[in-house]
Amino acid sequence: MITQKNWFCLILFLIIAKSNAQTKAYAIHTVAFYNFENFHDTIDDPLTHDEEWTPTGTEHWNTKKYHQKLENLARVLSEIGTGENPNSPTFIGGAEIENQVVLEDLIKQPKLIDKDYGIIHFDSPDKRGIDVALLYQKKQFQPTSYINIPLYVYKKEVSNEELSKTEESVNVEAEDVIQVNTKSHRIYTRDQLLVTGFLNGEEIHIIVNHWPSRAGGEKKSSPYREAAGVLNRKIIDSLQQINPNAKVITMGDLNDSPFNNSVKKALGARGKIQEVKPFGIYNPFEEMANKGLGTIAFRDSWDIFDQVMVSESLLQKDYSSFQYWKAGIYNKPFLIQKSGKYKGYPLRHSLTEIGFSDHFPVYIYLIKEKK
């Protein structure tokens, strides 16, 4: 029989437990990725194929348009993930970036300057002159090392002319043609950027990617992205060999969906947490793709090329250290085309309007229990 004293103790215990649950607080950080889409300055670089993004080029790119692009990008970056986290992203991985100068101009924008972003960027061998980079809030993250790791892929069977054609209805930008060295047959593509450092005192590794395009057709170009997935997996393996508990985030525009071989087989990512084995990779964007969501549209068909994935070490239930919480696609109404042929698509740049990008940004949250 439960006595009156026992009832009192039970009720007191429940009140205390509820009170503790309500007062539990978490530190939160947003990790975002955004393909900036042709983020060029107005100056012709003689070493790259950027002539169209100059005042005399086909895009009639000028200072006024460039400054509008900066303002537009800054607005997006300042707001990603603010539904759950009032601070703008601690980390921003970016793609289609011409050089360090455009990033320096970007972080000086009024909507970003108070965040005091640092820049990690390397020039890549991509002949369009577009690279990947990482922005990070200096007060939150202190990098200890960073390196650009080249992807070596070669083409011998198909000519450059054939590579410039699309064999099927695949999502590929007209200007994103695979560039091949005529002597070595190496395909020029973006490096993979690896950054290691401490997030509020805890070591984190971040890889930023922009894998080879689908120019030449999805099937013919798939081996290049599969090679990118293999390289990504090797980088992660090397980090885990040094520290089996290494916390790794890999993100980027993969030019493939979560279901393609480059992601599922080469990288070995899994779409359900319960399927992720030790040292494995979790891809929260697979479930979103299953629901028909997308980050990029082509012929009224949506796909998720932009993804952020985490190592199994970020899926633990112990929140005394940083762990993955949840993911999202940032597709607010102001980022969407309101009318015309591409109504409902991401609002990109055109000759008559300076938009944002042909991709939606993606993000995840990391959380840690406050002591």
Side-chain angles (χ1 to χ4, degrees):
M1 179 181 289
I2 299 178
T3 65
Q4 184 176 1
K5 181 179 179 181
N6 288 340
W7 272 116
F8 175 78
C9 291
L10 178 60
I11 292 170
L12 181 62
F13 171 78
L14 293 173
I15 291 173
I16 293 173
K18 185 176 181 181
S19 175
N20 287 339
Q22 289 175 338
T23 57
K24 188 175 289 186
Y26 294 88
I28 181 170
H29 292 280
T30 306
V31 181
F33 175 81
Y34 196 19
N35 182 318
F36 296 154
E37 191 197 11
N38 291 313
F39 187 24
H40 289 270
D41 59 23
T42 62
I43 302 169
D44 181 18
D45 183 345
L47 300 179
T48 63
H49 302 317
D50 68 338
E51 296 82 3
E52 61 186 313
W53 295 95
T54 62
T56 58
T58 56
E59 297 293 335
H60 304 292
W61 197 240
N62 56 37
T63 300
K64 182 179 179 180
K65 291 180 177 180
Y66 173 62
H67 284 291
Q68 184 62 58
K69 176 80 170 183
L70 288 170
E71 184 179 325
N72 288 358
L73 291 177
R75 178 185 177 184
V76 179
L77 298 179
S78 68
E79 297 180 10
I80 295 174
T82 50
E84 302 281 0
N85 178 12
N87 189 19
S88 63
T90 301
F91 301 101
I92 302 169
E96 295 207 14
I97 298 159
E98 182 175 15
N99 52 43
Q100 179 98 1
V101 173
V102 297
L103 293 171
E104 291 172 353
D105 288 344
L106 178 61
I107 63 174
K108 293 174 185 175
Q109 290 295 298
K111 289 184 178 295
L112 296 179
I113 193 167
D114 65 319
K115 305 302 180 183
D116 192 24
Y117 278 107
I119 300 170
I120 298 176
H121 163 267
F122 292 94
D123 288 321
S124 78
D126 183 282
K127 291 304 180 181
R128 285 173 55 204
I130 56 172
D131 314 317
V132 298
L134 182 72
L135 305 180
Y136 62 93
Q137 291 190 17
K138 296 177 185 177
K139 62 185 176 183
Q140 307 290 350
F141 179 74
Q142 293 75 47
T144 55
S145 66
Y146 39 88
I147 184 174
N148 57 325
I149 302 170
L151 173 64
Y152 292 100
V153 286
Y154 299 86
K155 188 64 181 178
K156 294 183 179 180
E157 299 85 0
V158 180
S159 67
N160 286 352
E161 182 179 354
E162 288 177 297
L163 282 168
S164 68
K165 300 175 182 177
T166 53
E167 67 188 9
E168 52 199 297
S169 297
V170 297
N171 193 337
V172 56
E173 297 179 15
E175 69 272 16
D176 199 5
V177 175
I178 292 176
Q179 300 288 337
V180 183
N181 184 301
T182 56
K183 293 182 178 179
S184 69
H185 301 285
R186 180 187 173 187
I187 293 172
Y188 293 112
T189 188
R190 281 72 58 171
D191 298 332
Q192 296 185 12
L193 173 63
L194 170 62
V195 179
T196 294
F198 288 88
L199 174 63
N200 297 161
E202 186 174 329
E203 190 174 61
I204 298 286
H205 309 275
I206 296 177
I207 311 170
V208 187
N209 305 270
H210 187 186
W211 291 0
S213 79
R214 290 186 170 189
E218 178 184 353
K219 292 180 181 179
K220 285 184 179 179
S221 60
S222 180
Y224 313 140
R225 292 183 297 282
E226 291 174 42
V230 169
L231 175 61
N232 213 240
R233 183 69 251 186
K234 286 182 177 178
I235 295 170
I236 295 170
D237 286 343
S238 67
L239 295 170
Q240 292 173 333
Q241 286 176 2
I242 296 170
N243 175 12
N245 298 313
K247 293 186 174 182
V248 185
I249 301 169
T250 184
M251 59 181 170
D253 173 2
L254 309 185
N255 275 306
D256 263 340
S257 80
F259 308 108
N260 285 115
N261 287 340
S262 60
V263 181
K264 293 292 286 186
K265 293 185 177 180
L267 181 55
R270 296 292 176 263
K272 295 180 179 179
I273 289 179
Q274 60 269 28
E275 294 178 354
V276 181
K277 298 179 180 179
F279 309 110
I281 298 295
Y282 171 58
N283 187 358
F285 291 89
E286 182 175 324
E287 182 179 355
M288 296 184 207
N290 274 325
K291 293 179 180 178
L293 300 176
T295 63
I296 187 168
F298 181 73
R299 296 186 179 178
D300 297 329
S301 177
W302 285 89
D303 212 332
I304 296 183
F305 283 3
D306 309 88
Q307 300 158 54
V308 185
M309 294 171 273
V310 300
S311 59
E312 181 265 347
S313 51
L314 281 163
L315 301 176
Q316 307 307 306
K317 301 299 182 183
D318 180 6
Y319 292 97
S320 61
S321 65
F322 282 111
Q323 299 294 330
Y324 165 83
W325 179 28
K326 60 181 180 179
I329 298 172
Y330 191 73
N331 53 3
K332 296 296 182 181
F334 75 90
L335 287 170
I336 301 173
Q337 181 75 40
K338 300 298 189 297
S339 61
K341 179 181 179 181
Y342 298 107
K343 181 180 179 180
Y345 285 32
L347 179 57
R348 65 183 301 182
H349 165 74
S350 68
L351 292 177
T352 58
E353 183 174 16
I354 307 303
F356 297 88
S357 172
D358 57 342
H359 294 245
F360 289 136
V362 292
Y363 61 94
I364 65 167
Y365 296 115
L366 299 179
I367 59 173
K368 177 181 180 179
E369 188 176 346
K370 292 182 178 179
K371 295 181 180 180

